Amino acid sequence: MLKSNEICQLNEANLVLRHFVDLSARLLPFLSKLTDKDVLTKRELVYKGKIMEVYENYDFDPVTSEALIDSNILELINTTYQKIAYQNDRKGKRTLRKFLFEHQRLVNSWNYSDAN
């Protein structure tokens, strides 16, 4: 049986995961647009660098999202980032769509559970 402090830790981990997933749903499409451009402004270069820094410094453990929310969303985020940042081809766009679809599924699920 879980103790109250363990439940609080799980809830906090779930909240952090949700924020990261939501942030990724904004950052990854923006990164994709930046990588599509032939020439970037200085500001866009800074944005691209900061976004890449977020994902390069994040220690991806796909088991975390599978255990907490029964989803491979962290694996999708990592794969999407890698393909956008380093391949920038149609596979990256396809992977981005998969990620955004899973994100929307999770948002719908979270909204449903928050309503109850």
Side-chain angles (χ1 to χ4, degrees):
M1 184 169 195
L2 290 175
K3 297 178 181 173
S4 65
N5 65 336
E6 292 170 329
I7 292 171
C8 287
Q9 288 175 343
L10 282 174
N11 286 338
E12 187 173 322
N14 194 333
L15 185 62
V16 169
L17 179 61
R18 284 171 71 163
H19 284 298
F20 181 71
V21 170
D22 287 338
L23 177 66
S24 293
R26 291 189 306 270
L27 291 180
L28 291 173
F30 185 55
L31 180 62
S32 180
K33 287 179 184 177
L34 291 175
T35 57
D36 284 346
K37 293 179 89 173
D38 292 329
V39 178
L40 298 176
T41 65
K42 287 181 183 180
R43 184 179 224 173
E44 289 170 331
L45 281 169
V46 169
Y47 289 154
K48 183 178 179 182
K50 287 182 179 185
I51 292 169
M52 291 181 75
E53 189 175 325
V54 166
Y55 293 100
E56 292 295 329
N57 292 322
Y58 188 81
D59 186 23
F60 286 92
D61 182 5
V63 174
T64 302
S65 66
E66 291 171 10
L68 285 175
I69 58 176
D70 194 28
S71 171
N72 68 336
I73 194 77
L74 286 180
E75 182 180 334
L76 279 171
I77 289 170
N78 187 36
T79 303
T80 301
Y81 166 71
Q82 295 296 326
K83 288 189 179 192
I84 289 171
Y86 299 110
Q87 290 178 320
N88 193 27
D89 58 10
R90 285 188 297 195
K91 288 182 182 179
K93 304 288 187 230
R94 195 173 326 134
T95 307
L96 178 60
R97 283 191 301 273
K98 283 182 188 178
F99 160 67
L100 291 173
F101 181 79
E102 179 64 6
H103 171 257
Q104 189 57 55
R105 187 190 72 77
L106 288 171
V107 166
N108 293 342
S109 174
W110 293 332
N111 288 341
Y112 178 78
S113 64
D114 288 347
N116 289 325

